[in-house]
């Protein structure tokens, strides 16, 4: 579909499913090489990263574990700039290699806070794996080790990303069109 209607807004196709899958596989291969013999913990950020985390894990060629944390910083199409931890981490992270799996990094504030919080739990390492990054919107310095795609500063839905909880199930990624 070239256009989709999600709630009250129209979105146009920007990243087809085939391209997403290709990029996810490439990132999984890179992580698998870098983490050979380390059994990393993929820490998916809910709700948006659940599809990406599942597809990433299925493409990994090394043993790994998965867990999830729920953070919130969006209302509608805008980041509030405030991060609230909704569901925390129960695992012992001491000595573990943690890979935060995030759907999208725009300001970087959520990632910065999460990296700082995880650092207090004595992990061996903390890396970030983002499906999408908006480089022109970053407000903080971050070491984003694994990035599938860089995108412009536009609002998107699909492949786990939502607009007011709708549109997550779309297989492709769509960009908000001006109406």
């Amino acid at each position: 579909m070239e256009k989709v209607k999600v709630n009250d807004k129209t979105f146009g196709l920007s990243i087809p499913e085939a391209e997403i899958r290709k990029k996810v596989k490439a990132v999984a291969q890179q992580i698998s090489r870098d983490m050979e013999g380390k059994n990393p913990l993929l820490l998916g950020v809910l709700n948006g990263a659940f599809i990406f985390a599942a597809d990433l894990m299925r493409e990994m060629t090394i043993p790994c574990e998965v867990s999830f944390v729920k953070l919130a910083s969006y209302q509608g199409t805008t980041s509030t700039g405030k991060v609230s931890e909704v569901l925390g981490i129960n695992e012992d992270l001491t000595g573990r290699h943690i890979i935060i799996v995030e759907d999208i990094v725009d300001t970087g504030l959520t990632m910065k806070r999460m990296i700082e919080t995880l650092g207090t739990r004595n992990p061996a390492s903390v890396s970030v794996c983002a499906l999408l990054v908006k480089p022109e919107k970053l407000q903080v310095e971050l070491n984003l080790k694994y990035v599938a795609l860089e995108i412009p500063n536009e609002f998107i839905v699909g492949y786990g990303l939502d607009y007011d909880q709708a549109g997550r199930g779309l297989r492709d990624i769509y960009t908000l069109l001006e109406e």
Side-chain angles (χ1 to χ4, degrees), residues 6-71:
V6 179
N7 292 336
D8 60 338
K9 304 217 180 286
T10 302
F11 294 81
L13 178 65
S14 57
I15 308 171
E17 179 184 15
E19 184 178 346
I20 297 166
R21 292 199 174 280
K22 181 179 164 187
K23 297 292 187 177
V24 170
K25 184 173 186 162
V27 169
Q29 289 170 343
Q30 184 183 0
I31 293 171
S32 295
R33 284 190 303 272
D34 291 353
M35 292 286 162
E36 182 70 40
K38 294 182 180 170
N39 190 31
L41 174 64
L42 303 180
L43 189 58
V45 180
L46 295 173
N47 289 339
F50 79 103
I51 293 174
F52 177 42
D55 287 350
L56 183 69
M57 188 173 193
R58 285 191 298 232
E59 292 291 345
M60 303 270 296
T61 59
I62 61 169
C64 61
E65 297 173 26
V66 68
S67 187
F68 292 91
V69 63
K70 186 164 183 174
L71 306 171

Side-chain angles (χ1 to χ4, degrees), residues 7-152:
N7 292 336
D8 60 338
K9 304 217 180 286
T10 302
F11 294 81
L13 178 65
S14 57
I15 308 171
E17 179 184 15
E19 184 178 346
I20 297 166
R21 292 199 174 280
K22 181 179 164 187
K23 297 292 187 177
V24 170
K25 184 173 186 162
V27 169
Q29 289 170 343
Q30 184 183 0
I31 293 171
S32 295
R33 284 190 303 272
D34 291 353
M35 292 286 162
E36 182 70 40
K38 294 182 180 170
N39 190 31
L41 174 64
L42 303 180
L43 189 58
V45 180
L46 295 173
N47 289 339
F50 79 103
I51 293 174
F52 177 42
D55 287 350
L56 183 69
M57 188 173 193
R58 285 191 298 232
E59 292 291 345
M60 303 270 296
T61 59
I62 61 169
C64 61
E65 297 173 26
V66 68
S67 187
F68 292 91
V69 63
K70 186 164 183 174
L71 306 171
S73 67
Y74 262 82
Q75 286 183 329
T77 62
T78 315
S79 177
T80 63
K82 298 175 187 168
V83 181
S84 59
E85 188 170 8
V86 181
L87 173 69
I89 304 160
N90 298 323
E91 287 80 9
D92 179 8
L93 303 182
T94 304
R96 297 294 311 266
H97 295 278
I98 310 301
I99 300 172
I100 301 168
V101 180
E102 178 67 296
D103 57 352
I104 187 165
V105 175
D106 51 24
T107 64
L109 296 172
T110 302
M111 274 305 99
K112 184 175 190 285
R113 174 160 180 235
M114 193 166 175
I115 291 166
E116 289 167 354
T117 301
L118 292 174
T120 67
R121 310 267 306 261
N122 302 314
S125 67
V126 177
S127 303
V128 176
C129 176
L131 173 66
L132 304 162
V133 175
K134 295 179 179 179
E136 64 192 64
K137 193 147 183 229
L138 281 173
Q139 294 178 10
V140 294
E141 196 69 30
L142 286 176
N143 178 15
L144 301 173
K145 189 164 186 178
Y146 307 106
V147 175
L149 293 154
E150 290 187 356
I151 62 169

